[in-house]
Amino acid sequence: MNSEQMQASAPRRWAIAVGAGILAILAGCGQVITVTPTPTPQPTPTIGVAVVSATDEPTTTPAPYTPAPTPTPTVTPTPVIYTIQSGESLLAIADRFNVSVSALQEANGILDPRTLQIGQQLIIPREEESEVAADATPTPTPLPVAVENLHFTENAIGGLWVMGEVYNNTGAALEQVRVGVTLLDAQGGTVAQGQGLVALDLVDVEERAPFAILFGEEPGEFEQFQVYPVSAVPAYVGSYYRDLTVEEVQTESERYASYTVTGVVRNAGPEEAVSVQVVLTAYDPLDRVIAMRQVEPEHNVVPRGGTTTFTAVLAPVGGPIARISAEAQGRRLPAQ
């Protein structure tokens, strides 16, 4: 054995000797020592910790979204547009479409119904609109005028003509003059009713204007009647041309069944007259109105100092014509 091996085995021999010594001592004592093994530590149980946070405000659960209802479009009827013709007044147009003058003014923003022009377009309101306008605008109180020279006669198909004229004795020029007729039985009950405009748009002071109302169907037997002004309002004379005269009136009859009337309209004023018309009224020997007509002359625009002619045929509803009255009416050009 070399020296290095001897050095390596020395500690081993020392350990063996020590172990033997210990055994000897224990044997000498005669006691048996039981070594209790160190208990294996049990894992510490984990305590659950509840994390308490501050209580939040309760969150409102939004209601399910309900989409807004889709609006159903209201079908608006196509408005009726009417173009004003020569010689027409607002009242005549309202009568034609069975609406009130106030409804026409409301629908078209017309402040002065006397300043209408030929070719101007008007919106004709629907019935429900006209009813609202009629409720909102009071009906003007008609001025009293005299209704005279009445004549009743049946026509060939069984209808009834009621003709006459109004006489303006109010001291003021009038327009929108309308006359009503009510036929009554012996007990005062209404048999039939009718209305009509006079033929002149402007009825000047101390002037007469004819009217004719036709009951198209047989009105039945009547014993009494009432004739009365329905409407008549002070005229806005500034829109009328009042310097027209009718001259050289001539009449030619054909066996008293029809009469051809000719004449000349002269502009005696300082301006041009437009929308010129001639109104003819025929009277029988008792001075009752038996025919009337509104005609346009050859030219409905007459310059200052100028003239135009007219021709018309009158067919009286009863008796021969004793005399004929002719009146010309026109409008002024609106100020530019």
Side-chain angles (χ1 to χ4, degrees), residues 78-275:
T78 303
V80 177
I81 305 297
Y82 180 74
T83 302
I84 298 176
Q85 306 299 316
S86 174
E88 289 184 320
S89 65
L90 196 64
L91 184 60
I93 297 172
D95 185 63
R96 176 174 181 173
F97 289 96
N98 195 29
V99 298
S100 66
V101 173
S102 58
L104 279 178
Q105 290 182 250
E106 183 76 17
N108 295 276
I110 299 173
L111 299 179
D112 188 349
R114 282 81 94 186
T115 57
L116 301 178
Q117 301 181 29
I118 299 174
Q120 180 179 344
Q121 291 187 329
L122 297 179
I123 299 174
I124 306 301
R126 299 188 301 275
E127 183 178 357
E128 59 271 18
E129 293 173 348
S130 64
E131 289 176 356
V132 172
D135 293 339
T137 305
T139 302
T141 302
L143 295 175
V145 295
V147 182
E148 302 176 344
N149 301 328
L150 298 175
H151 186 270
F152 293 76
T153 185
E154 294 183 359
N155 61 17
I157 60 175
L160 179 70
W161 278 106
V162 180
M163 292 189 178
E165 61 184 0
V166 299
Y167 173 57
N168 182 5
N169 57 359
T170 65
L174 302 176
E175 61 184 347
Q176 301 181 19
V177 180
R178 178 186 291 269
V179 177
V181 177
T182 300
L183 305 179
L184 306 171
D185 59 21
Q187 289 73 38
T190 300
V191 174
Q193 288 182 315
Q195 295 184 7
L197 289 167
V198 300
L200 287 172
D201 293 336
L202 173 69
V203 185
D204 218 333
V205 178
E206 303 296 322
E207 191 174 47
R208 298 178 181 272
F211 65 88
I213 299 174
L214 174 63
F215 293 89
E217 298 180 357
E218 180 64 42
E221 296 294 331
F222 67 96
E223 299 292 335
Q224 310 171 61
F225 65 89
Q226 295 175 345
V227 182
Y228 43 87
V230 175
S231 64
V233 298
Y236 177 70
V237 297
S239 64
Y240 295 96
Y241 195 83
R242 307 164 77 185
D243 294 319
L244 297 173
T245 61
V246 181
E247 305 172 352
E248 304 177 21
V249 177
Q250 298 182 6
T251 304
E252 182 179 347
S253 65
E254 296 184 7
R255 299 180 181 180
Y256 305 109
S258 64
Y259 295 75
T260 301
V261 183
T262 60
V264 175
V265 178
R266 182 180 302 278
N267 183 354
E271 303 175 20
E272 184 178 56
V274 299
S275 303

Side-chain angles (χ1 to χ4, degrees), residues 64-78:
Y65 172 70
T66 303
T70 303
T72 303
T74 302
V75 178
T76 302
T78 303

